[in-house]
Amino acid sequence: MAASQMEKALSSEDFAKYPFLKHASKQIANLDFTISNLSSEKTVFDRALNRVTCAINEMHTGKMANDKKTEISSFAAALILVIATKNSWIKKRYALAVAKTAHAQMLNEKIDTLTAIAKDFDWDICAGSPYKDFRIGFTFYLRNAAHMHGIEWKLVNQIMDRGMVYLNKDKVIRLLQEEVKARVEKRLDIPEIKNLPEEINLIANDLVRLAQEQIGEETDNLPKVVVQAAFPPCINALYADAAASHHLSHIGRFTLTAFLVNIGMTPEALNELFKTFSDYNERLTRYQIEHIAGERGSGTRYTCPQCSVLQTHSVCKNRDELCRRIYHPLKYYVLKQKSLKSA
Amino acid sequence: MEASREFVYKKFAEYYRDPSTEIPAPLHTEQREFGYLMFKERFMVRHRSFSSISNLRAVLAETVPSDVYHSCAYYENPDFDMDKKGWVGSDLVFDIDADHIPTSCNKIHDEFKCVKCGFSGRGITPEACPCCEGTKFETKIWACDLCIQSAREETGKLLDMLENDFGFSTDDLHVFFSGHRGYHVHLEAESVRSLDAMARKEIVDYVTGLGLAVLDKEADEKRRKRKGAKHFILHDFGWNRRLKVAMEKFLLNASKEDLKAVGIRNRALIENKDAIIKRAINEGRWESINGVSVQTWLKLAEYVREQQASKIDTVVTTDVHRLIRMNGTLHGKTGLMKVEFPAKSLADFDPFSGAVAFKKGEVKVFVSDAPEFRLGDEALGPYKNQTVVLPTAAAVMLICKRRAEVAP
Ligand code: SF4
Ligand SMILES: [Zn+2]
Ligand SMILES: [Zn+2]
């Protein structure tokens, strides 16, 4: 396929379907709505609210309005509503819903439209003949695929030649879903909007309540007591290494500490454990533990690395049956406990 | 400070104070964090930033550190605390060190001594002391031509992948001798700077061949369950091609013993090698050969994967905050320079002459113990408890390695 055949200008119909595209937001600038008159634009406002409610309840953005103009402006209005909730769960959820909706729609698109969408995200993309539908620069691939689970996404399993990764349509669409999510999340990453009309704040509160009902259904909390019998094999191996040689690599120690902190071991108990290490240094150990537990520095609590990272650094050892069903040692711990209880 | 350390310190001072010493500025010097190890205090200064290379040089001339590092990362505020630096990107770096790879010299030149009980030996330092199970050792490590050769081979495999698979041009690839017994490869291309740790991990897995689907046992089981599905297929790109080429090469040269070492007891592989290579490897009819099962191909593929993988230090590449030795500075354990050379000269570049900083003068030293070695064209050693007059670079190296003292 020649390059010229792949270039395509996106239509206003496309912008209605994919209102997160750069040019779609340029169109909004020409549309007449402002934050203060937002709620008086009834059709736009209703569609915006419908987007967010559907996202919270059903993880998609609802039925499209017939009028393209409404569809595009309501996307911008919905962003304002979501920001007004100041709720990180809703922000994440909404971005994901927009991305998933776009994914479903992109499945029906032709190569040229997909190319145009990818270019909107500045991808280095062109036709992938003779092997696949497309080829894209490997950094664009990694930006999105590195966080995906499953060996079919690993770079080592792609056809890569001279920096270009050859992919079929379905994979490109899945990667674009990640781009959409990231872009919407970025646009929602604003702490607050000043001088919002009161009715918007009221509606935002309703949305937060709605979200709380959803969250209530989804969380599965880690049990509070430490159950050593439920440790994944890698952690057992680290534990055994530590006990036998009293020495661990940096990443090994980080993994063990972060795992134990995350399943609820107290910094005091951990410090006792590490006292048995040969290179124990009270001040340094305490600092590291508190750092990982989020009691110092940036205040973020570190979680232990996921399985794929532990595999890269040869910390993953003695994988077992249960390991096949999980991507994270903490998830192993939760599932194993459940199976221990039911047994 | 004892006389020998004082001597090395003076030499390092001369190096950093000499205006003709070349210390190339890293890209965007002002956005890098610098760190250096103080010679006398053995203390690491970190979180320093310099607006220009000349400011940095002034500090190096003044403080004369034993080792100098800069961040692979670019920061908004390189001198702030870690959490507040404002990461804006990072070079993609690879570290290949003879420490981490098996070498044909088996490191017989390395010495270790248990701190607890004093047990000592030669070769690869054990994980735990065979006498007292202690795990702290004093080590004296050495870099021989074989060590360098092993590291060079691993670097060659890496460069080949970066060029052919990842598509970097040789201009993008900055290749360095590390100053001790390894190589560094830095990529500063705009396109890689913003890659996060997970993306870099995928690059590491690519370079080490980790997670290859053809070799994945769990995926293999799944494939076999889908009836009739072929479960050994290799295409012509990247790792798949590497495996094919290496399998062909292996079979062409393999003896029965070689096969046994791989865990294959199948004679057919050797007796009909030409036909097998043609049908299986070249035509992809892997399952068409009587007596050669998919399991055999898997074993062979796994063996050549290990051979083809480049044994990089995985942690260095995935750490987007890592400090790396600075180009043009001296290595505190050798007195050799970290030095850049063109990627295409990997085979020809001789670290034992190209990285020598102290080219003039001679020094009388008492050497406790040194194997045979070479600096430039000069063959030196072995020495055992003897006083010798050595070229300055050799004397500095032996003192840095705690194998010699300045003779009175
Ligand atoms: S798969 Fe994950 S949980 Fe299982 S051993 Fe490996 S790292 Fe640990
Ligand atoms: Zn001992
Ligand atoms: Zn050696």
Side-chain angles (χ1 to χ4, degrees):
Chain A
M1 197 183 302
S4 61
Q5 275 174 284
M6 296 198 50
E7 295 297 332
K8 180 208 168 194
L10 292 162
S11 66
S12 58
E13 211 158 302
D14 295 323
F15 290 132
K17 271 196 261 176
Y18 309 111
F20 45 77
L21 295 176
K22 285 178 200 155
H23 278 281
S25 21
K26 274 185 201 143
Q27 296 208 335
I28 298 170
N30 302 326
L31 302 166
D32 38 33
F33 92 90
T34 60
I35 290 178
S36 51
N37 74 7
L38 182 58
S39 49
S40 59
E41 290 275 325
K42 182 102 174 63
T43 42
V44 171
F45 186 76
D46 285 351
R47 173 68 183 115
L49 187 55
N50 167 255
R51 279 179 186 275
V52 186
T53 321
C54 284
I56 293 175
N57 288 333
E58 294 153 48
M59 190 69 97
H60 61 78
T61 55
K63 195 171 162 294
M64 285 175 74
N66 289 328
D67 170 37
K68 288 172 212 135
K69 209 168 135 185
T70 307
E71 196 56 16
I72 297 174
S73 354
S74 67
F75 176 74
L79 293 179
I80 293 171
L81 275 181
V82 173
I83 295 167
T85 67
K86 297 182 195 158
N87 180 300
S88 59
W89 185 89
I90 299 181
K91 287 181 177 180
K92 270 206 148 139
R93 177 85 165 193
Y94 184 67
L96 184 57
V98 172
K100 287 203 161 180
T101 307
H103 181 270
Q105 278 172 320
M106 284 189 284
L107 289 174
N108 303 315
E109 301 292 3
K110 299 226 167 61
I111 297 282
D112 54 355
T113 305
L114 292 173
T115 307
I117 294 174
K119 294 225 158 135
D120 192 81
F121 289 101
D122 304 320
W123 280 22
D124 176 10
I125 184 168
C126 42
S129 54
Y131 315 113
K132 302 267 169 168
D133 298 334
F134 296 100
R135 62 175 197 266
I136 70 174
F138 85 89
T139 53
F140 296 92
Y141 179 79
L142 284 183
R143 244 170 260 285
N144 300 291
H147 298 265
M148 232 95 98
H149 298 301
I151 59 167
E152 71 275 18
W153 287 107
K154 289 197 72 61
L155 185 62
V156 75
N157 290 320
Q158 308 311 313
I159 291 187
M160 178 162 74
D161 190 39
R162 311 254 151 212
M164 299 303 275
V165 178
Y166 289 76
L167 298 170
N168 277 334
K169 213 177 137 181
D170 54 333
K171 278 198 163 173
V172 165
I173 293 172
R174 183 63 187 80
L175 294 174
L176 284 172
Q177 175 187 326
E178 292 299 299
E179 288 281 6
V180 175
K181 185 172 76 142
R183 182 179 286 181
V184 176
E185 275 177 357
K186 199 163 168 215
R187 287 181 66 176
L188 293 172
D189 188 20
I190 297 171
E192 65 173 336
I193 301 171
K194 294 241 161 65
N195 306 324
L196 275 182
E198 191 45 35
E199 58 238 86
I200 303 265
N201 282 328
L202 288 175
I203 291 170
N205 289 341
D206 287 343
L207 289 171
V208 172
R209 228 165 288 139
L210 191 63
Q212 268 152 2
E213 285 166 26
Q214 269 304 326
I215 300 170
E217 286 168 17
E218 287 175 7
T219 43
D220 62 343
N221 268 325
L222 281 180
K224 292 285 167 285
V225 273
V226 174
V227 183
Q228 197 159 347
F231 283 7
C234 50
I235 299 294
N236 276 330
L238 287 172
Y239 214 92
D241 273 2
S245 73
H246 308 292
H247 178 81
L248 289 179
S249 67
H250 179 76
I251 176 148
R253 182 177 298 209
F254 176 82
T255 303
L256 184 58
T257 312
F259 179 86
L260 295 174
V261 165
N262 276 281
I263 64 167
M265 197 181 248
T266 62
E268 289 71 38
L270 262 172
N271 198 36
E272 284 304 308
L273 173 70
F274 287 140
K275 256 188 192 154
T276 62
F277 282 28
S278 58
D279 46 0
Y280 176 79
N281 171 324
E282 165 117 38
R283 200 175 55 83
L284 198 64
T285 304
R286 186 156 280 282
Y287 179 84
Q288 282 172 342
I289 293 172
E290 287 174 359
H291 189 74
I292 290 170
E295 290 166 14
R296 270 185 199 251
S298 62
T300 36
R301 174 162 167 167
Y302 287 86
T303 169
C304 104
Q306 64 190 49
C307 298
S308 65
V309 173
L310 298 177
Q311 277 148 18
T312 296
H313 303 304
S314 318
V315 179
C316 168
K317 271 184 198 142
N318 318 328
R319 252 172 89 88
D320 65 16
E321 205 55 38
L322 184 52
C323 288
R324 298 184 182 200
R325 290 163 48 203
I326 51 102
Y327 301 109
H328 200 287
L330 285 170
K331 188 76 193 174
Y332 182 108
Y333 182 69
V334 172
L335 289 186
K336 184 78 185 231
Q337 281 203 333
K338 278 190 189 145
S339 76
L340 287 177
K341 253 180 224 155
S342 64
Chain B
M1 189 160 45
E2 36 134 348
S4 297
R5 292 298 292 167
E6 186 69 43
F7 166 74
V8 172
Y9 175 81
K10 270 200 194 130
K11 284 288 147 197
F12 275 46
E14 276 171 27
Y15 179 81
Y16 287 118
R17 288 169 191 166
D18 181 348
S20 72
T21 297
E22 273 182 53
I23 304 180
L27 186 66
H28 301 309
T29 301
E30 72 290 352
Q31 294 183 31
R32 308 270 188 178
E33 177 199 346
F34 288 82
Y36 44 86
L37 196 60
M38 300 296 290
F39 224 105
K40 304 180 188 177
E41 298 84 348
R42 306 307 299 157
F43 170 77
M44 180 80 165
V45 178
R46 281 202 62 177
H47 310 295
R48 295 292 313 268
S49 89
F50 296 95
S51 56
S52 70
I53 187 75
S54 50
N55 290 352
L56 170 64
R57 284 194 71 138
V59 170
L60 296 183
E62 163 92 24
T63 49
V64 190
S66 67
D67 300 86
V68 186
Y69 307 88
H70 67 69
S71 61
C72 301
Y74 307 94
Y75 298 107
E76 276 162 14
N77 306 298
D79 49 347
F80 284 24
D81 274 356
M82 220 47 191
D83 313 330
K84 302 188 181 76
K85 277 185 170 24
W87 188 86
V88 289
S90 174
D91 298 336
L92 180 63
V93 300
F94 299 90
D95 176 17
I96 290 157
D97 196 300
D99 285 355
H100 299 285
I101 54 185
T103 55
S104 48
C105 61
N106 274 325
K107 314 219 169 69
I108 44 159
H109 40 63
D110 289 4
E111 287 173 27
F112 57 88
K113 185 171 163 196
C114 175
V115 171
K116 226 179 183 174
C117 76
F119 176 86
S120 67
R122 283 176 172 274
I124 299 162
T125 307
E127 296 223 329
C129 171
C131 278
C132 74
E133 291 192 4
T135 52
K136 269 208 164 169
F137 296 95
E138 261 175 26
T139 55
K140 286 183 179 173
I141 62 174
W142 189 259
C144 75
D145 275 323
L146 291 171
C147 284
I148 299 291
Q149 181 53 26
S150 304
R152 191 185 281 135
E153 277 163 21
E154 299 304 319
T155 309
K157 289 187 266 180
L158 171 67
L159 292 176
D160 179 56
M161 286 189 235
L162 291 175
E163 263 186 80
N164 294 313
D165 300 9
F166 287 88
F168 291 104
S169 76
T170 37
D171 293 341
D172 289 329
L173 301 168
H174 297 283
V175 187
F176 305 85
F177 171 64
S178 73
H180 193 197
R181 54 181 188 183
Y183 293 87
H184 295 167
V185 177
H186 298 199
L187 286 157
E188 298 166 339
E190 189 86 47
S191 61
V192 302
R193 274 186 224 162
S194 61
L195 293 176
D196 65 10
M198 287 302 281
R200 288 165 202 251
K201 179 192 81 69
E202 279 300 299
I203 295 174
V204 168
D205 290 350
Y206 192 97
V207 168
T208 58
L210 182 76
L212 269 169
V214 267
L215 303 177
D216 190 279
K217 289 198 197 77
E218 288 160 25
D220 182 51
E221 274 172 34
K222 262 190 229 159
R223 276 192 296 264
R224 262 185 287 170
K225 271 181 205 152
R226 263 186 279 127
K227 252 213 229 121
K230 274 206 178 175
H231 49 280
F232 194 81
I233 303 168
L234 292 174
H235 55 67
D236 281 318
F237 294 90
W239 262 99
N240 282 245
R241 178 182 58 80
R242 269 168 222 289
L243 291 181
K244 274 201 226 181
V245 172
M247 283 162 83
E248 176 168 350
K249 202 169 147 204
F250 177 82
L251 283 182
L252 278 176
N253 305 317
S255 65
K256 254 182 238 160
E257 282 64 42
D258 292 335
L259 281 183
K260 239 187 228 158
V262 182
I264 299 173
R265 287 175 201 288
N266 194 325
R267 282 204 198 160
L269 268 180
I270 289 201
E271 281 154 14
N272 309 317
K273 60 169 88 158
D274 293 327
I276 291 176
I277 288 171
K278 182 165 174 293
R279 254 162 70 188
I281 301 182
N282 301 339
E283 293 168 16
R285 291 152 64 207
W286 301 97
E287 267 124 291
S288 74
I289 292 155
N290 269 341
V292 184
S293 69
V294 168
Q295 292 321 312
T296 305
W297 288 123
L298 280 174
K299 262 188 204 159
L300 187 54
E302 179 55 47
Y303 176 76
V304 298
R305 180 198 72 86
E306 188 64 34
Q307 279 187 333
Q308 296 299 306
S310 172
K311 289 163 200 70
I312 56 173
D313 183 333
T314 58
V315 178
V316 171
T317 305
T318 51
D319 183 352
V320 296
H321 299 289
R322 172 99 10 185
L323 294 182
I324 191 121
R325 188 174 299 282
M326 183 173 172
N327 186 17
T329 64
L330 300 172
H331 196 300
K333 285 201 184 108
T334 58
L336 296 174
M337 302 178 283
K338 171 164 172 175
V339 48
E340 183 171 4
F341 58 87
K344 58 177 183 330
S345 316
L346 178 67
D348 314 320
F349 179 82
D350 173 24
F352 294 127
S353 51
V356 171
F358 308 109
K359 296 206 172 86
K360 281 183 218 140
E362 291 186 329
V363 190
K364 196 158 108 183
V365 287
F366 176 80
V367 187
S368 56
D369 184 20
E372 213 176 316
F373 67 107
R374 177 179 70 81
L375 266 187
D377 294 328
E378 218 166 332
L380 299 159
Y383 305 118
K384 184 102 196 161
N385 294 325
Q386 64 192 99
T387 304
V388 276
V389 175
L390 291 178
T392 308
V396 169
M397 184 189 284
L398 292 185
I399 294 171
C400 286
K401 289 180 175 300
R402 285 176 285 126
R403 289 167 187 263
E405 305 273 335
V406 173

